[in-house]
Amino acid sequence: TQLLEQSPQFLSIQEGENLTVYCNSSSVFSSLQWYRQEPGEGPVLLVTVVTGGEVKKLKRLTFQFGDARKDSSLHITAAQPGDTGLYLCAGARDYKLSFGAGTTVTVRA
Amino acid sequence: GAVVSQHPSRVICKSGTSVKIECRSLDFQATTMFWYRQFPKKSLMLMATSNEGSKATYEQGVEKDKFLINHASLTLSTLTVTSAHPEDSSFYICSAREERETCNEQFFGPGTRLTVL
């Protein structure tokens, strides 16, 4: 059983469209991280959110941490083919990370 | 900064052999390193937590005699898959947590693809 539920599992959109990936849990985390992973490579950290209600922006990516620190979302504005990849959320407790199942995003040119 | 390397990146071996994978933090000291396993199109599953100078802590269901972990220094942890079998074939990824890091951020290596014939 996944501690973190990610949705959707797959997302295929046209270049220029927006998308949102959700990460939900019944558990509270001290922080939550979002990673992007390319095939055959390790995950690359995109952002860490720590405070409930926190919103962080990274160019066209907006990350939000829920008020209760149980859920998070990743929103991409005007997606580009370079945004294609596997997006993983991970909740931190006691220095350990629990990963969601991942969302495979495909942006078509 | 915060670069983690893994070696080798890919290994193919015969059933019954042992394979050692190295994980190094290149520009910081890592008191804690983690070893994950990832199956195709699946998420990362934590196998064990490796602390410098002490025994590794294994997750439930992971055989410690099968997956030997050594964390000899603040920049190096090794995972040895002993007597590997085809079902051990997987993508193994390590991560490292910086000593002064308080946000629980982990930095991941590029992974090692193990194929056991």
Side-chain angles (χ1 to χ4, degrees):
Chain A
T1 304
Q2 248 12 100
L3 197 60
L4 280 163
E5 297 292 332
Q6 260 186 263
S7 61
Q9 188 177 356
F10 298 97
L11 199 53
S12 180
I13 60 171
Q14 200 70 33
E15 181 177 5
E17 294 180 340
N18 303 331
L19 68 95
T20 302
V21 178
Y22 299 93
C23 182
N24 296 297
S25 176
S26 58
S27 302
V28 176
F29 297 103
S30 56
S31 66
L32 193 139
Q33 281 109 53
W34 284 92
Y35 294 85
R36 192 174 98 183
Q37 185 180 24
E38 303 286 343
E41 299 179 9
V44 174
L45 179 66
L46 295 175
V47 79
T48 299
V49 284
V50 180
T51 307
E54 183 177 3
V55 176
K56 278 191 175 179
K57 290 194 174 184
L58 188 66
K59 296 183 180 178
R60 293 177 294 101
L61 278 61
T62 301
F63 305 86
Q64 188 164 7
F65 201 14
D67 291 339
R69 290 187 290 134
K70 294 182 180 180
D71 53 81
S72 181
S73 64
L74 156 62
H75 182 80
I76 301 179
T77 304
Q80 299 176 0
D83 295 324
T84 293
L86 175 66
Y87 289 83
L88 296 158
C89 66
R93 277 170 30 186
D94 298 330
Y95 304 119
K96 288 185 183 180
L97 291 180
S98 296
F99 280 84
T103 296
T104 300
V105 172
T106 304
V107 182
R108 305 184 303 275
Chain B
V3 178
V4 177
S5 70
Q6 269 184 252
H7 178 80
S9 59
R10 182 182 295 268
V11 58
I12 301 173
C13 67
K14 292 182 179 179
S15 185
T17 58
S18 293
V19 176
K20 181 186 282 189
I21 303 170
E22 291 186 350
C23 177
R24 293 181 185 272
S25 57
L26 298 184
D27 51 0
F28 66 99
Q29 292 187 325
T31 48
T32 308
M33 288 184 170
F34 303 87
W35 287 96
Y36 295 84
R37 186 172 178 176
Q38 187 176 32
F39 292 101
K41 300 189 186 300
K42 297 291 185 183
S43 190
L44 281 73
M45 298 298 295
L46 179 64
M47 298 174 65
T49 302
S50 169
N51 293 295
E52 187 265 336
S54 63
K55 289 184 178 180
T57 304
Y58 291 81
E59 295 300 302
Q60 191 173 8
V62 178
E63 299 177 60
K64 61 180 180 181
D65 295 330
K66 174 73 171 177
F67 300 99
L68 299 178
I69 291 172
N70 183 272
H71 195 152
S73 74
L74 284 172
T75 59
L76 173 65
S77 177
T78 60
L79 167 68
T80 301
V81 183
T82 61
S83 186
H85 288 93
E87 59 266 29
D88 298 324
S89 298
S90 192
F91 193 51
Y92 292 88
I93 310 175
C94 72
S95 71
R97 178 176 169 271
E98 194 170 358
E99 185 176 354
R100 58 179 176 83
E101 183 54 60
T102 57
C103 292
N104 295 318
E105 289 180 351
Q106 294 180 20
F107 300 95
F108 285 81
T112 297
R113 172 74 60 194
L114 171 62
T115 303
V116 185
L117 304 175

